[in-house]
Structure formats: C-alpha cells, structure tokens
C-alpha cells in the first residue's frame, strides 16, 4: 500500500505479557503493519510463535526486540518516520486520522498502563481510540483499520502455505501453491 | 444508538484467560456494546475489575456468567437477537456488514482457538475480520467499529466520575459532576 508501518510495543514483560504481546503482533501483521519492535527482554517463545504463523500464513512480517526504545524511536524519527502514540489521553482518532494518513512512514507506540512521560513528548501525535480504558490490542486494531481505511481487511499474503476460503458455515482451509 | 448489542465470550478459563477476557469486556464497553455474557466458571475478580471501571468511567455496561452458552444463545435468538460469530473462517466483514447492521439486536460470539461446531451452526452470520489468525479482542473491536460505523468513538458515558479531556501532549483528567 506504499506505506511503512512499524509498531513499537512498549514495556513488554516476559511471561506476564506473553499473550497480550502475541495478540499485538498478530493483529499488526493481519491488519497491514510491516514490523513489531518489542521493548523488553528477548522472549524467544513469543518470537517463535509469531514466526510460525508468518511461515504458515505468509507475508514478510518481522518481529524484533530492543533494549532501548528511546534510542530506537529517535533513529526512526531521524529516518523520516512520524511517531503515533496510542493513549486514552490523546486527541480523538476520528478527528486526527486525515492528518496522520499523509506521512507514509509511521511508528505506532502501544504501551501498557504505565508509560513514561518521554513517550508523550517524543510522539508527533498522541491519539486516543475513545477516551475510555480498554485494550492496546483493540486500540492498535482500530487505529490500523482507520489508517488503511478498511482496505487492509482484503490484504493477501505472499507465500502462504495456508489460505482460508471464507465460508458461510464451517471451515475451509486451502493449501496454496508455493512457487 | 437504538440498538442492543451483547457479547458472548465463549470458553473463558479462570486464571488463564483473565487478561484477555478483561480486555474483551472493556473493549465491548468502550465501543458501544451493552453487555458481556461470559461462558465459564464465575470469576469474581474479573467481574470486580470491570465493575470498578464502570463505576469510575460511567455507563450501564453489564457483565454476567452463564454455565450453558447454547441455552443462552437459543433464548436470545428466540427474543429477536441475531447471532454473529466472529471467526477467521467466516465471510468477510467488509462485504457482510450492511446486512448485519439492519437487525438492531445482535449477539456477538467471540471464542478462543477451539470453538464447537454448534457455534457455527447456531450463528446467523459467521464473520471474519481478515482470514488471518490474530485476536478475538481485535476482531471484536473492528467489528463493533464497523457495526456502529465509527460513531461509537464519540460515545459519552452517563454518570462518569472520571472524564478524560483529549490532549495533544500529557494527561488531563476531569472529575465530572454527579447529579
């Protein structure tokens, strides 16, 4: 889609956040992001489980870890990325999205409950998906869906070994051909 | 908005699913649903944490548990609800949503990995939010956002003790007046 979208998952705690961060990665991939960078100690089992999905369901999605989220964000900002921080305290998504769609390169920062003040400061946009407490997984999903204007729902993934054929009832798994 | 939206969370396991089911409840509330019914053993701490949010942030959102999801769905169906089951195997959201918006009373069923065949059978609509594996939290969020056509993002919650004022940087919490 001519854009480059990276997610920075802030404050991942090994074991405790395993499932939530896994969901974040899979949502990022399914809804058109290119990459997730996880701030926290390297978590091999998380990485393996995401990589297995990519191997089966295709695409070029990447996951990596960083020990210094601030340095990483500064580097990305220098190379032309705009930083969008999703927080219930930010400006409403529905009013800001038009301006955000224009830069083609964005980093979306999603945190847990406690996010340092520096995240708010370095962000080009602090954006709320409602001003209610809910879920970083949901905020990311709704943000990506608005960012790509719903078109990401029809994305095809290259080199998929498993392709699902939509069905009214039941399940239909189609093995695709690898070229 | 003149509609009645209930979420049925299928297959909740106490402890293991605590965070994911909590996220589902808070997303349901934030994005305009009226109620979550959780299939599984009663989980007091989950219920308390959701109720605390409702008390602080307002609205009339309800959470309850059921020991018999099938009976519950049959009852709801009888009283005029249409059943929407979110599954990666279903028909694409973006192609089906217009037809689904018409019934004003819907139950949205969200499961975990293993969902019994009966769920596919009883559903009026099996709907996929992409045909990729990701997250029931994200699927629910994107579904609700499409169902309410984005208008739910501006919802106000009655009797809120805490109201957030959107800010470009930083946090602004406004205590609202209780009448």
């Amino acid at each position: 889609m001519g854009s480059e979208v990276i997610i920075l998952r802030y404050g991942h705690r090994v074991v405790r956040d395993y499932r939530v961060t896994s969901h974040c990665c899979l949502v990022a991939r399914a809804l058109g992001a290119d990459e997730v960078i996880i701030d926290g100690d390297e978590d091999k089992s998380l990485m393996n489980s995401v990589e297995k999905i990519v191997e089966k369901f295709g695409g070029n999605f990447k996951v990596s870890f960083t020990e210094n989220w601030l340095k990483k964000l500064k580097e990305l900002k220098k190379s032309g990325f705009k930083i969008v921080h999703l927080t219930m305290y930010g400006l409403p998504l529905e009013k800001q999205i038009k301006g955000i769609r224009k830069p083609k390169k964005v980093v979306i920062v999603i945190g847990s409950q406690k996010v340092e003040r520096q995240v708010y400061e370095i962000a080009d946009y602090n954006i709320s998906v409602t001003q209610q407490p809910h879920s970083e997984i949901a905020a990311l999903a709704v943000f990506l869906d608005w960012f790509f204007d719903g078109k990401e729902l029809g994305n095809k993934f290259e080199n998929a070994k498993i392709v699902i054929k939509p069905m009214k009832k039941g399940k239909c798994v189609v093995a695709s051909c690898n070229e």
Side-chain angles (χ1 to χ4, degrees), chain A:
Chain A
M1 282 175 281
S3 56
E4 203 175 337
V5 176
I6 298 175
I7 317 303
L8 185 101
R9 165 67 168 156
Y10 173 94
H12 170 75
R13 295 157 295 182
V14 176
V15 183
R16 185 172 148 77
D17 290 332
Y18 180 87
R19 276 183 85 194
V20 174
T21 302
S22 296
H23 281 227
C24 289
C25 292
L26 297 182
V27 166
R29 174 187 170 275
L31 298 181
D34 300 286
E35 187 176 349
V36 172
I37 301 170
I38 299 167
D39 153 48
D41 293 333
E42 198 165 315
D43 189 335
K44 287 272 183 211
S45 79
L46 172 64
M47 213 150 159
N48 287 344
S49 79
V50 177
E51 282 170 357
K52 266 188 198 164
I53 296 279
V54 176
E55 210 192 304
K56 281 188 195 167
F57 286 87
N60 297 305
F61 186 73
K62 280 178 287 186
V63 180
S64 64
F65 287 82
T66 179
E67 285 176 354
N68 192 333
W69 62 269
L70 188 56
K71 193 177 155 210
K72 198 77 200 176
L73 284 182
K74 282 180 180 166
E75 281 169 15
L76 287 165
K77 206 161 175 165
K78 232 179 181 174
S79 67
F81 281 83
K82 291 285 181 188
I83 297 174
V84 179
H85 171 219
L86 299 183
T87 162
M88 65 189 281
Y89 299 103
L91 298 176
L93 167 68
E94 64 276 24
K95 294 183 182 162
Q96 301 295 314
I97 192 68
K98 278 191 187 165
I100 302 173
R101 278 195 198 116
K102 280 171 206 161
K104 293 284 185 188
K105 292 164 79 172
V106 297
V107 184
I108 304 163
V109 184
I110 47 169
S112 42
Q113 291 181 319
K114 289 176 196 167
V115 170
E116 289 167 78
R117 193 170 174 82
Q118 282 172 305
V119 177
Y120 293 85
E121 296 298 334
I122 198 174
D124 298 290
Y125 306 92
N126 288 288
I127 297 295
S128 57
V129 178
T130 79
Q131 291 79 51
Q132 302 294 320
H134 57 95
S135 163
E136 61 269 41
I137 301 166
L140 175 62
V142 173
F143 181 86
L144 288 171
D145 187 45
W146 281 64
F147 183 81
F148 292 121
D149 210 6
K151 292 181 184 67
E152 83 292 347
L153 296 181
N155 280 355
K156 303 287 174 220
F157 291 78
E158 285 177 12
N159 301 316
K161 289 178 185 162
I162 298 177
V163 174
I164 308 287
K165 187 182 161 197
M167 297 279 282
K168 206 170 169 193
K169 300 251 181 215
K171 304 179 182 181
C172 180
V173 178
V174 185
S176 82
C177 302
N178 284 307
E179 288 168 47

